[in-house]
Amino acid sequence: MSQPPVAQPSVAQPPVAQPPVAQRRPVVRRHHGDEVVDEYEWLRDAEDPDTIAYLEAENAWAEQQTAHLADLREQIFEEIRSRTLETDLSVPVRHGDWWYYSRTVEGQQYAIRCRCPIGDVSSWDPPALEARSTIDDEQVLLDSNAEAEGHDFFSLGGFSLSDDDTLLAWSVDTVGDERYTIRVKDLRTGQLLPDTVTGTSGGVTWSADATHLFYTTVDDAWRPFRVWRHELGATGDDTLVHEETDERFFTGVGRTQSERYLVIGSSSKVTSEVRVLESDDPEGEFRIVLPRVSGVEYSLEHARLRGEDVFLLLHNRDALNFELVGVPVDGPYDDPTVLIPHRDDIRLEDVDVFARQLVVSYRSDAIARIAVTLLDDEAPNGLADPHEIDFGQELFTSGVGANAEWDQPLVRVGFGSFVTPATVYDYAVATGELILRKQAPVLGGYDPDDYEQHRSWATADDGTQVPVSIVCRAGTQRDGRSPALLYGYGSYEASMDPGMSVPRLSLLDRGFVFAIAHVRGGGELGRSWYEQGRLLHKKNTFTDFVAAARHLADEGWTSADRLIAEVGSAGGLLMGAVANLAPQAITGIVASVPFVDALTSILDPSLPLTVIEWDEWGDPLHDPDVYAYMKSYTPYENVAARDYPAILAVTSLHDTRVLFVEPAKWVARLRATATGDAPLLLKTEMNAGHGGVSGRYAAWRERAWELAWIIDTGTRHV
């Protein structure tokens, strides 16, 4: 039996008496008549040996300051591992003549993607496969462990099968910079084809006849901006199909669920435009469906309604929470038929289209829900009344799963909650039956009745009611004595849903309460909830989080000296802002790849993704009001001589989304400015990107490292 990688002991180092102190090399930034001196901007240069030396010194300091947690870290890692079925199989998904699934094997970091032939073509019940047994006629399509061999980092990007299941195209990143190399395998022979495409953004899409591949590349700002067509077997240059010249827009390429159309989507944070082309005509010209209009978003799918081919457009023109309309595939597109009208209390998020049904994903009462509606030629608009899938819980999350066929009698869906492990169902469209296919096993005697979940509401400074989702051990007393971890995000209309986490059990079983503050800027309560937390309303995100923290203390779930806050990426901006705004409300902060020097980044159009972000935060380069507003809240700008909570900042050297320099500068300024004796730690992964380390065992160890710090910090006053 193979064994997982073990933690390697660090080479003994002499103790460091004092934390690192970054050199001060002042540079002056001038905008809109405002002059700012930045002593630590020099840390941006990853090629400067002094930068690397500083990061390594911070790593050494963080390791020394947490050395007493080594046993706890190892204990938590073993708890995660012991609760996880390390050798396992996913639920098979049917496509063509095959069942597709992935394996995980004890001791191996990455998944193995496989397939086996369909036996009874009339049955849609996936085969009952055993993870530790030999599977008849199994084919290994891609072993990511073999792909990752010899690399410190590995990420699988695209994984795309040709329509006839004979060719596989996939892409990998072995650095962490999110630039992927595409390769192709002939599944009939197992041979790699000579076709190799480097420097892509990850995704890969086949034409219907498998003669061409479509993919995207990024510009110097890491923005996917070009769509290319590669002819299989050709040795010349690939063909540029589309170039997005507006720096606010991403572009990407895919197929409709029916596989009949290729789709190029271009979108900013608030505007979109779609081009289509029949997938059996890969060398044809893409055509625009609806030209972009500022502030109007739409997505496209293909359906057959009442015997006619139509495009379904999910859009927000005069429909804040979106509505679904249909237009003929050949036009005109400016006289749509409304299929699902806009509602103020429901945010339509996505539509999955099949030959005989639609599956609508939407939000109501801050819960992600699913409804299925049959295509009905007798109905006035071609759709029967929708039926919401009832999962039997009040606080949960749900979503559409992997569905690879256009015409299928079942719909694969996923469900979970704080106390319910991730569960896979097939929904029988004809009967409404939910057929359980798999629930993620949690070993070690896990019993959901040992835990309880709640929904509470905090009152923000302006009187807005902010939902807070809570999970804890059953019977937890609300006497203010429990340590707690509060999570949030609040950007890009992203919703933080209540799902179960195996690593989180190591907190709950030690008496922690875990909560999510569904702050404005997220999408939990619809588009207006997002609008109230972006641009010149961004501070609502921060005050909502502070209100949630104080609410947990007021309700007796915890107290300020036992409460840890944790968020990452754009949520790291939230963490830094809260540290400045209400440092007394929490005792510790974990900020992962945190966006804490937001103003510097958003002022520089040459940096990755900056111009795209102007729709989210505003354009401080050209608008003095936005500049002043952002400067009033960005964490780095507002570090002051005050007592701060304990802070652990985690970043990655190769992160292309939130550059490592942001937390590096932030910690350097905090250490030079903050009063009090709360620990300030910076931990940099030197071989990883925005998502952190790669491989499941490495990720478990990384999470155990963070959880040990959270436990130690949250229980200092217990």
Side-chain angles (χ1 to χ4, degrees), residues 287-314:
R287 61 186 182 274
I288 294 175
V289 177
L290 291 174
R292 66 189 64 175
V293 174
S294 181
V296 175
E297 302 168 62
Y298 73 98
S299 59
L300 176 146
E301 263 294 353
H302 164 244
R304 283 189 63 81
L305 296 182
R306 305 178 71 183
E308 301 291 333
D309 287 300
V310 299
F311 288 142
L312 303 186
L313 307 179
L314 187 65

mmCIF file of all heavy atoms in Angstrom, residues 287-314:
data_model
loop_
_atom_site.group_PDB
_atom_site.id
_atom_site.type_symbol
_atom_site.label_atom_id
_atom_site.label_comp_id
_atom_site.label_asym_id
_atom_site.label_seq_id
_atom_site.Cartn_x
_atom_site.Cartn_y
_atom_site.Cartn_z
ATOM 1 N N ARG A 287 -20.787 34.967 -35.444
ATOM 2 C CA ARG A 287 -21.678 36.119 -35.574
ATOM 3 C C ARG A 287 -22.136 36.581 -34.189
ATOM 4 O O ARG A 287 -22.368 35.775 -33.296
ATOM 5 C CB ARG A 287 -22.880 35.771 -36.437
ATOM 6 C CG ARG A 287 -23.765 34.645 -35.917
ATOM 7 C CD ARG A 287 -24.845 34.267 -36.925
ATOM 8 N NE ARG A 287 -25.745 33.217 -36.442
ATOM 9 C CZ ARG A 287 -25.494 31.919 -36.553
ATOM 10 N NH1 ARG A 287 -24.364 31.508 -37.110
ATOM 11 N NH2 ARG A 287 -26.378 31.032 -36.115
ATOM 12 N N ILE A 288 -22.266 37.874 -34.036
ATOM 13 C CA ILE A 288 -22.709 38.460 -32.773
ATOM 14 C C ILE A 288 -24.207 38.260 -32.634
ATOM 15 O O ILE A 288 -24.980 38.494 -33.575
ATOM 16 C CB ILE A 288 -22.366 39.958 -32.711
ATOM 17 C CG1 ILE A 288 -20.844 40.153 -32.682
ATOM 18 C CG2 ILE A 288 -23.002 40.607 -31.489
ATOM 19 C CD1 ILE A 288 -20.423 41.609 -32.746
ATOM 20 N N VAL A 289 -24.637 37.845 -31.457
ATOM 21 C CA VAL A 289 -26.066 37.691 -31.189
ATOM 22 C C VAL A 289 -26.671 39.043 -30.822
ATOM 23 O O VAL A 289 -27.565 39.547 -31.508
ATOM 24 C CB VAL A 289 -26.303 36.644 -30.084
ATOM 25 C CG1 VAL A 289 -27.789 36.537 -29.748
ATOM 26 C CG2 VAL A 289 -25.766 35.283 -30.528
ATOM 27 N N LEU A 290 -26.215 39.632 -29.726
ATOM 28 C CA LEU A 290 -26.648 40.981 -29.343
ATOM 29 C C LEU A 290 -25.406 41.813 -29.061
ATOM 30 O O LEU A 290 -24.578 41.429 -28.224
ATOM 31 C CB LEU A 290 -27.536 40.936 -28.096
ATOM 32 C CG LEU A 290 -28.928 40.317 -28.253
ATOM 33 C CD1 LEU A 290 -29.610 40.225 -26.886
ATOM 34 C CD2 LEU A 290 -29.778 41.123 -29.221
ATOM 35 N N PRO A 291 -25.232 42.930 -29.752
ATOM 36 C CA PRO A 291 -24.060 43.774 -29.484
ATOM 37 C C PRO A 291 -24.049 44.243 -28.036
ATOM 38 O O PRO A 291 -25.097 44.439 -27.413
ATOM 39 C CB PRO A 291 -24.246 44.950 -30.451
ATOM 40 C CG PRO A 291 -25.191 44.452 -31.502
ATOM 41 C CD PRO A 291 -26.092 43.480 -30.798
ATOM 42 N N ARG A 292 -22.856 44.431 -27.507
ATOM 43 C CA ARG A 292 -22.724 44.830 -26.104
ATOM 44 C C ARG A 292 -23.340 46.200 -25.852
ATOM 45 O O ARG A 292 -23.218 47.125 -26.662
ATOM 46 C CB ARG A 292 -21.254 44.815 -25.679
ATOM 47 C CG ARG A 292 -20.367 45.822 -26.337
ATOM 48 C CD ARG A 292 -18.895 45.578 -26.021
ATOM 49 N NE ARG A 292 -18.422 44.298 -26.548
ATOM 50 C CZ ARG A 292 -17.157 43.881 -26.492
ATOM 51 N NH1 ARG A 292 -16.231 44.634 -25.916
ATOM 52 N NH2 ARG A 292 -16.811 42.717 -27.011
ATOM 53 N N VAL A 293 -24.002 46.286 -24.734
ATOM 54 C CA VAL A 293 -24.555 47.546 -24.235
ATOM 55 C C VAL A 293 -24.072 47.686 -22.797
ATOM 56 O O VAL A 293 -24.247 46.770 -21.994
ATOM 57 C CB VAL A 293 -26.099 47.556 -24.283
ATOM 58 C CG1 VAL A 293 -26.647 48.816 -23.631
ATOM 59 C CG2 VAL A 293 -26.589 47.424 -25.719
ATOM 60 N N SER A 294 -23.467 48.794 -22.459
ATOM 61 C CA SER A 294 -22.889 48.964 -21.131
ATOM 62 C C SER A 294 -23.925 48.689 -20.042
ATOM 63 O O SER A 294 -25.037 49.227 -20.069
ATOM 64 C CB SER A 294 -22.346 50.383 -20.972
ATOM 65 O OG SER A 294 -21.756 50.548 -19.695
ATOM 66 N N GLY A 295 -23.567 47.816 -19.116
ATOM 67 C CA GLY A 295 -24.433 47.486 -18.000
ATOM 68 C C GLY A 295 -25.393 46.344 -18.265
ATOM 69 O O GLY A 295 -26.115 45.934 -17.351
ATOM 70 N N VAL A 296 -25.400 45.807 -19.483
ATOM 71 C CA VAL A 296 -26.295 44.704 -19.827
ATOM 72 C C VAL A 296 -25.467 43.417 -19.949
ATOM 73 O O VAL A 296 -24.519 43.350 -20.726
ATOM 74 C CB VAL A 296 -27.052 44.962 -21.137
ATOM 75 C CG1 VAL A 296 -27.879 43.734 -21.529
ATOM 76 C CG2 VAL A 296 -27.941 46.189 -21.000
ATOM 77 N N GLU A 297 -25.876 42.408 -19.190
ATOM 78 C CA GLU A 297 -25.218 41.107 -19.230
ATOM 79 C C GLU A 297 -26.179 40.075 -19.802
ATOM 80 O O GLU A 297 -27.383 40.133 -19.549
ATOM 81 C CB GLU A 297 -24.806 40.678 -17.818
ATOM 82 C CG GLU A 297 -23.884 41.655 -17.111
ATOM 83 C CD GLU A 297 -23.757 41.325 -15.631
ATOM 84 O OE1 GLU A 297 -23.275 40.230 -15.301
ATOM 85 O OE2 GLU A 297 -24.174 42.170 -14.817
ATOM 86 N N TYR A 298 -25.637 39.132 -20.551
ATOM 87 C CA TYR A 298 -26.464 38.014 -21.000
ATOM 88 C C TYR A 298 -25.584 36.810 -21.291
ATOM 89 O O TYR A 298 -24.394 36.937 -21.590
ATOM 90 C CB TYR A 298 -27.303 38.392 -22.219
ATOM 91 C CG TYR A 298 -26.576 38.540 -23.542
ATOM 92 C CD1 TYR A 298 -26.559 37.482 -24.467
ATOM 93 C CD2 TYR A 298 -25.954 39.736 -23.901
ATOM 94 C CE1 TYR A 298 -25.922 37.623 -25.695
ATOM 95 C CE2 TYR A 298 -25.326 39.880 -25.121
ATOM 96 C CZ TYR A 298 -25.305 38.823 -26.024
ATOM 97 O OH TYR A 298 -24.679 38.964 -27.239
ATOM 98 N N SER A 299 -26.169 35.637 -21.146
ATOM 99 C CA SER A 299 -25.526 34.387 -21.525
ATOM 100 C C SER A 299 -26.461 33.643 -22.460
ATOM 101 O O SER A 299 -27.658 33.968 -22.547
ATOM 102 C CB SER A 299 -25.209 33.532 -20.299
ATOM 103 O OG SER A 299 -26.387 33.237 -19.565
ATOM 104 N N LEU A 300 -25.939 32.640 -23.163
ATOM 105 C CA LEU A 300 -26.706 32.007 -24.232
ATOM 106 C C LEU A 300 -26.672 30.498 -24.121
ATOM 107 O O LEU A 300 -25.636 29.907 -23.805
ATOM 108 C CB LEU A 300 -26.155 32.459 -25.581
ATOM 109 C CG LEU A 300 -26.735 31.846 -26.859
ATOM 110 C CD1 LEU A 300 -26.743 32.876 -27.987
ATOM 111 C CD2 LEU A 300 -25.957 30.603 -27.299
ATOM 112 N N GLU A 301 -27.799 29.870 -24.374
ATOM 113 C CA GLU A 301 -27.895 28.423 -24.562
ATOM 114 C C GLU A 301 -28.815 28.146 -25.747
ATOM 115 O O GLU A 301 -29.565 29.023 -26.190
ATOM 116 C CB GLU A 301 -28.429 27.731 -23.298
ATOM 117 C CG GLU A 301 -27.344 27.152 -22.407
ATOM 118 C CD GLU A 301 -26.571 26.009 -23.039
ATOM 119 O OE1 GLU A 301 -26.953 25.560 -24.151
ATOM 120 O OE2 GLU A 301 -25.599 25.553 -22.446
ATOM 121 N N HIS A 302 -28.755 26.910 -26.240
ATOM 122 C CA HIS A 302 -29.586 26.507 -27.373
ATOM 123 C C HIS A 302 -30.647 25.531 -26.907
ATOM 124 O O HIS A 302 -30.383 24.660 -26.079
ATOM 125 C CB HIS A 302 -28.711 25.844 -28.449
ATOM 126 C CG HIS A 302 -29.482 25.061 -29.457
ATOM 127 N ND1 HIS A 302 -29.347 23.695 -29.606
ATOM 128 C CD2 HIS A 302 -30.431 25.445 -30.355
ATOM 129 C CE1 HIS A 302 -30.158 23.274 -30.558
ATOM 130 N NE2 HIS A 302 -30.816 24.308 -31.038
ATOM 131 N N ALA A 303 -31.873 25.677 -27.422
ATOM 132 C CA ALA A 303 -32.955 24.760 -27.086
ATOM 133 C C ALA A 303 -33.856 24.581 -28.301
ATOM 134 O O ALA A 303 -33.800 25.361 -29.269
ATOM 135 C CB ALA A 303 -33.767 25.299 -25.902
ATOM 136 N N ARG A 304 -34.682 23.540 -28.229
ATOM 137 C CA ARG A 304 -35.756 23.367 -29.217
ATOM 138 C C ARG A 304 -37.083 23.498 -28.478
ATOM 139 O O ARG A 304 -37.432 22.650 -27.650
ATOM 140 C CB ARG A 304 -35.658 22.020 -29.918
ATOM 141 C CG ARG A 304 -34.575 21.985 -30.992
ATOM 142 C CD ARG A 304 -34.646 20.713 -31.822
ATOM 143 N NE ARG A 304 -35.909 20.590 -32.577
ATOM 144 C CZ ARG A 304 -36.182 21.179 -33.737
ATOM 145 N NH1 ARG A 304 -35.272 21.973 -34.293
ATOM 146 N NH2 ARG A 304 -37.344 20.986 -34.342
ATOM 147 N N LEU A 305 -37.801 24.580 -28.778
ATOM 148 C CA LEU A 305 -39.090 24.842 -28.153
ATOM 149 C C LEU A 305 -40.174 24.796 -29.216
ATOM 150 O O LEU A 305 -40.087 25.497 -30.237
ATOM 151 C CB LEU A 305 -39.103 26.211 -27.465
ATOM 152 C CG LEU A 305 -38.138 26.421 -26.289
ATOM 153 C CD1 LEU A 305 -38.323 27.818 -25.709
ATOM 154 C CD2 LEU A 305 -38.352 25.372 -25.223
ATOM 155 N N ARG A 306 -41.162 23.944 -28.972
ATOM 156 C CA ARG A 306 -42.304 23.815 -29.884
ATOM 157 C C ARG A 306 -41.841 23.572 -31.321
ATOM 158 O O ARG A 306 -42.348 24.138 -32.282
ATOM 159 C CB ARG A 306 -43.185 25.051 -29.803
ATOM 160 C CG ARG A 306 -43.642 25.358 -28.375
ATOM 161 C CD ARG A 306 -44.464 26.613 -28.284
ATOM 162 N NE ARG A 306 -45.790 26.418 -28.878
ATOM 163 C CZ ARG A 306 -46.707 27.372 -28.979
ATOM 164 N NH1 ARG A 306 -46.436 28.592 -28.531
ATOM 165 N NH2 ARG A 306 -47.878 27.114 -29.521
ATOM 166 N N GLY A 307 -40.799 22.715 -31.434
ATOM 167 C CA GLY A 307 -40.314 22.307 -32.741
ATOM 168 C C GLY A 307 -39.376 23.280 -33.421
ATOM 169 O O GLY A 307 -38.925 23.028 -34.544
ATOM 170 N N GLU A 308 -39.037 24.395 -32.759
ATOM 171 C CA GLU A 308 -38.181 25.406 -33.358
ATOM 172 C C GLU A 308 -36.879 25.532 -32.562
ATOM 173 O O GLU A 308 -36.869 25.428 -31.331
ATOM 174 C CB GLU A 308 -38.887 26.767 -33.390
ATOM 175 C CG GLU A 308 -40.194 26.786 -34.161
ATOM 176 C CD GLU A 308 -39.991 26.612 -35.655
ATOM 177 O OE1 GLU A 308 -38.899 26.978 -36.144
ATOM 178 O OE2 GLU A 308 -40.912 26.105 -36.325
ATOM 179 N N ASP A 309 -35.774 25.773 -33.286
ATOM 180 C CA ASP A 309 -34.497 26.041 -32.630
ATOM 181 C C ASP A 309 -34.478 27.483 -32.155
ATOM 182 O O ASP A 309 -34.744 28.416 -32.939
ATOM 183 C CB ASP A 309 -33.328 25.809 -33.593
ATOM 184 C CG ASP A 309 -33.085 24.340 -33.859
ATOM 185 O OD1 ASP A 309 -32.812 23.620 -32.887
ATOM 186 O OD2 ASP A 309 -33.181 23.914 -35.034
ATOM 187 N N VAL A 310 -34.162 27.658 -30.877
ATOM 188 C CA VAL A 310 -34.108 29.004 -30.303
ATOM 189 C C VAL A 310 -32.850 29.145 -29.458
ATOM 190 O O VAL A 310 -32.274 28.157 -28.985
ATOM 191 C CB VAL A 310 -35.342 29.303 -29.419
ATOM 192 C CG1 VAL A 310 -36.618 29.227 -30.234
ATOM 193 C CG2 VAL A 310 -35.411 28.360 -28.238
ATOM 194 N N PHE A 311 -32.417 30.373 -29.315
ATOM 195 C CA PHE A 311 -31.400 30.710 -28.327
ATOM 196 C C PHE A 311 -32.115 31.199 -27.073
ATOM 197 O O PHE A 311 -33.011 32.058 -27.155
ATOM 198 C CB PHE A 311 -30.462 31.800 -28.830
ATOM 199 C CG PHE A 311 -29.502 31.339 -29.892
ATOM 200 C CD1 PHE A 311 -29.163 32.168 -30.950
ATOM 201 C CD2 PHE A 311 -28.922 30.074 -29.827
ATOM 202 C CE1 PHE A 311 -28.276 31.761 -31.924
ATOM 203 C CE2 PHE A 311 -28.027 29.646 -30.803
ATOM 204 C CZ PHE A 311 -27.709 30.496 -31.856
ATOM 205 N N LEU A 312 -31.735 30.656 -25.945
ATOM 206 C CA LEU A 312 -32.232 31.140 -24.666
ATOM 207 C C LEU A 312 -31.226 32.140 -24.115
ATOM 208 O O LEU A 312 -30.037 31.827 -23.965
ATOM 209 C CB LEU A 312 -32.422 29.987 -23.683
ATOM 210 C CG LEU A 312 -33.345 28.846 -24.119
ATOM 211 C CD1 LEU A 312 -33.545 27.869 -22.970
ATOM 212 C CD2 LEU A 312 -34.686 29.382 -24.611
ATOM 213 N N LEU A 313 -31.691 33.324 -23.813
ATOM 214 C CA LEU A 313 -30.828 34.386 -23.307
ATOM 215 C C LEU A 313 -31.226 34.711 -21.875
ATOM 216 O O LEU A 313 -32.370 35.081 -21.612
ATOM 217 C CB LEU A 313 -30.950 35.643 -24.171
ATOM 218 C CG LEU A 313 -30.727 35.464 -25.687
ATOM 219 C CD1 LEU A 313 -30.901 36.794 -26.405
ATOM 220 C CD2 LEU A 313 -29.355 34.870 -25.965
ATOM 221 N N LEU A 314 -30.292 34.541 -20.969
ATOM 222 C CA LEU A 314 -30.489 34.947 -19.575
ATOM 223 C C LEU A 314 -29.868 36.326 -19.439
ATOM 224 O O LEU A 314 -28.634 36.467 -19.548
ATOM 225 C CB LEU A 314 -29.823 33.933 -18.632
ATOM 226 C CG LEU A 314 -30.059 34.108 -17.139
ATOM 227 C CD1 LEU A 314 -31.524 33.911 -16.790
ATOM 228 C CD2 LEU A 314 -29.186 33.145 -16.348
#
